[in-house]
């Protein structure tokens, strides 16, 4: 069987990127927004044209089904089409469109696989508007309830339920009658490993764990000029002390990655002592024990440093996904496909969270990485070369054929 139709895939990536396009060349399709819906409609158009059976579940996860010769569990391939607010063209989109391309090549080859193949596009993988991230795959795997999803609200007070209803985004389908035996996701690496080593394909063996928290520091707004320093309850000063100690943690816990991605002052005015500061913590580690140690140290820093200030401090967990290992069966299928294409390859862990991380708790899963130029992602300048896109999509096609042909 031949390879993918390169120009078809590359042009579709550009077409999808035009939906929610930003003036700086990036993309914004926040989950459950009009742009997100338009992106999903774009994918549905192609799934329908292929004659696939379309299913949409109660929170809008999208599935396109190509029936195989047997009733064996399906091979599910896909990713997500939602993006962060200043995202790139490839994060998620490549995985969904490469899955579409793989199924289209299988349909065009006129040789039905033993197993059904399902193209999946999970909602709200990014979790930047509605937390947690990987919400669509968490719901698909039964790890978050429909009620909890629908009640989740964004900083503007909109709930997912309201957005689902406003956009007529949800369906009522399930996949219980088909079952899924394998999940495979093609994704840009989003880091520097492959591009620095000049390696074509990453054979992903697992994903590090992540723990998100939100911290609220509460003080008293007062006049910047009249209030003596010793009489202030300055939420900005207290938050600064906590942040300084948090930023020391990666030097104490090897391989910990800690990010303070959002800090919001209130009332955020030049001559008013900050009344409240809310900030987020994104902590990641490949080892569960080390992640738990980091979480404990974060809690201790917040509690201890907070108690040393004149302010009150609270925190709440926003998301938590444990590290996962992928299936050796799926890993072998990816390695064999990369070898068949004479591509350089290396096994590696994923630094970013992915839907495959969630699926791996339910079915044998794996991922294929392609290089990110400059190791940049979650940034309008995110870029993967056409050559590397084509390489990754061919590995996706052949690994899918490999898995779908298995008894
Ligand atoms: O945060 C992540 O790792 C993913 O992009 N949601
Ligand atoms: Mn992604
Ligand atoms: Mn992402």
């Amino acid at each position: 069987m031949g390879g993918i139709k390169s120009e078809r895939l590359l042009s579709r990536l550009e077409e999808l990127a035009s939906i929610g396009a930003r003036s700086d060349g990036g993309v914004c399709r926040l989950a459950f927004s009009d742009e997100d819906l338009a992106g999903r409609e774009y994918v549905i158009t192609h799934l329908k044209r292929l004659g696939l059976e379309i299913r949409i579940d109660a929170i809008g996860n999208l599935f396109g089904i190509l029936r195989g010769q047997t009733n064996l569990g399906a091979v599910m391939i896909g990713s997500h089409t939602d993006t962060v607010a200043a995202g790139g063209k490839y994060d998620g989109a490549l995985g969904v469109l490469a899955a579409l391309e793989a199924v289209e090549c299988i349909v065009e080859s006129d040789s039905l696989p033993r197993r059904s193949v399902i193209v999946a596009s999970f909602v709200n993988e990014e979790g930047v508007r509605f937390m947690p991230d990987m919400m669509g795959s968490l719901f698909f795997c039964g790890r978050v309830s429909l009620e909890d999803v629908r009640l989740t609200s964004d900083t503007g007070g909109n709930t997912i339920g309201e957005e689902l209803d406003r956009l007529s985004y949800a369906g009522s389908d399930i996949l219980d009658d088909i079952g899924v035996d394998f999940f495979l996701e093609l994704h840009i690496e989003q880091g520097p490993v492959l591009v620095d080593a000049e390696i074509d394909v990453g054979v992903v063996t697992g994903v590090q764990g992540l723990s998100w928290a939100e911290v609220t520091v509460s003080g008293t707004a007062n006049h910047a000029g009249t209030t003596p320093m010793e009489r202030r309850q300055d939420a900005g000063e207290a938050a600064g002390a906590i942040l300084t100690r948090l930023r020391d943690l990666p030097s104490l816990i090897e391989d910990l990655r800690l990010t303070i991605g959002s800090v919001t002052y209130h009332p955020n005015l030049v001559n008013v002592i900050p009344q409240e500061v809310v900030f987020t913590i994104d902590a990641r580690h490949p080892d569960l024990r080390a992640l738990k140690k980091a979480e404990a140290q974060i809690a201790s820093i917040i509690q201890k440093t907070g108690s040393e200030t004149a302010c009150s401090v609270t925190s709440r967990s926003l998301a938590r996904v444990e590290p996962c290992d992928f299936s050796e069966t799926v890993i072998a299928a990816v390695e064999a496909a990369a070898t068949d294409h004479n591509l350089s390859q290396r096994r590696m862990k994923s630094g970013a969270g992915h839907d495959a991380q969630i699926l791996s708790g339910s079915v044998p899963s794996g991922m294929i990485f392609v290089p990110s130029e400059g190791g940049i992602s979650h940034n309008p300048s995110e870029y993967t070369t056409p050559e590397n896109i084509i390489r990754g999509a061919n590995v996706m096609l052949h690994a899918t054929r490999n898995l779908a042909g298995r008894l």
Side-chain angles (χ1 to χ4, degrees), residues 292-346:
K292 287 180 176 174
K293 182 181 169 192
E295 288 173 317
Q297 301 243 12
I298 288 167
S300 166
I301 287 170
I302 291 167
Q303 192 279 321
K304 190 168 175 305
T305 312
S307 67
E308 293 162 0
T309 73
C311 296
S312 66
V313 184
T314 59
S315 68
R316 67 186 179 105
S317 172
L318 296 173
R320 188 169 190 281
V321 184
E322 298 194 344
C324 80
D325 292 319
F326 284 145
S327 144
E328 279 300 332
T329 304
V330 181
I331 290 170
V334 173
E335 285 178 326
T339 302
D340 288 352
H341 282 267
N342 303 312
L343 297 175
S344 58
Q345 56 179 292
R346 62 156 285 176

Side-chain angles (χ1 to χ4, degrees), residues 84 91 125-127 133-134 190 210 212 282 284 351-354 378:
V84 295
D91 177 356
E125 188 277 344
E126 295 295 358
D133 58 352
M134 285 85 84
Q190 301 183 285
L210 69 85
W212 289 358
D282 176 324
R284 311 222 186 181
H354 296 288
H378 283 188

